[in-house]
Amino acid sequence: MSVVIRKNRKEDNEILAKIIRTSFEDFEVKSTCGTVYTDPTTDDLFSLFQVERSELFVAEENGVILGCCGIFPTENLPENTTELVKFYLTKEARGKGIGKLLMEKSVEKAKELGYQQVYLESLPEFSKAVSIYEKQGFQYLETALGNSGHSGCTLWMIKKLD
């Protein structure tokens, strides 16, 4: 496997937006309202991730983008907490360990930037991703934290960093 994990670039915007939205369709998410699917920032992730203490990573193999994952200092999260965001893969990339690589790179960056916790929001339809979160030590929360603007998400998890 010759997958490269790199920072996102402006020219990645269109394909990343497509990967994100296609994932919702692949997993037959019933409602996209209040999710990243309808979030206007999904179409310009490069600009979004210019925010200080944020980073979006892209998995690429032989010039083909396979997915993304990053961290973002979502408004009103507890102090020293970042959100794991935009964790999506193409159908062809799933089940090959690429998601794990992207998530580990994102968590590593969170530690490097001094964060003490990583928070995330998801949906039951993304059960494969949720099982990865569980294996990586994320714990369930009873309610959302911060102000992601993604009110359609119904699963919330957090992980303390070592």
Side-chain angles (χ1 to χ4, degrees):
M1 180 167 62
S2 59
V3 174
V4 174
I5 307 294
R6 61 167 175 79
K7 292 180 182 182
N8 77 313
R9 303 177 190 137
K10 189 173 182 89
E11 58 268 23
D12 300 334
N13 278 341
E14 187 177 340
I15 187 65
L16 291 179
K18 183 176 181 180
I19 289 169
I20 290 168
R21 291 188 176 113
T22 300
S23 294
F24 276 72
E25 295 156 11
D26 290 347
F27 288 95
E28 299 176 3
V29 175
K30 293 166 196 65
S31 174
T32 58
C33 187
T35 68
V36 67
Y37 190 98
T38 56
D39 188 332
T41 65
T42 298
D43 293 306
D44 189 5
L45 295 177
F46 180 78
S47 293
L48 179 65
F49 283 89
Q50 298 309 302
V51 171
E52 190 176 332
R53 295 182 81 204
S54 74
E55 195 77 65
L56 182 65
F57 295 101
V58 170
E60 181 179 38
E61 185 175 35
N62 300 322
V64 177
I65 294 177
L66 305 171
C68 58
C69 184
I71 56 166
F72 193 83
T74 300
E75 185 180 307
N76 293 326
L77 282 177
E79 189 174 347
N80 293 315
T81 302
T82 189
E83 185 176 359
L84 186 80
V85 294
K86 315 301 187 237
F87 184 34
Y88 296 94
L89 298 169
T90 62
K91 190 180 292 185
E92 298 76 23
R94 296 179 196 138
K96 297 180 179 177
I98 296 166
K100 184 178 178 197
L101 290 174
L102 280 165
M103 183 188 301
E104 287 174 348
K105 184 73 171 175
S106 298
V107 170
E108 179 184 306
K109 186 65 176 181
K111 289 179 186 177
E112 182 184 310
L113 291 173
Y115 289 111
Q116 295 171 353
Q117 298 185 110
V118 178
Y119 165 76
L120 64 84
E121 299 178 340
S122 192
L123 295 161
E125 290 92 341
F126 293 125
S127 59
K128 286 187 166 83
V130 172
S131 71
I132 293 171
Y133 303 143
E134 291 169 345
K135 289 175 189 166
Q136 292 293 318
F138 282 85
Q139 303 293 316
Y140 287 94
L141 296 170
E142 291 190 21
T143 187
L145 300 178
N147 183 23
S148 70
H150 297 156
S151 59
C153 293
T154 58
L155 294 176
W156 312 281
M157 302 176 87
I158 198 159
K159 175 182 176 163
K160 291 189 185 324
L161 301 177
D162 306 326

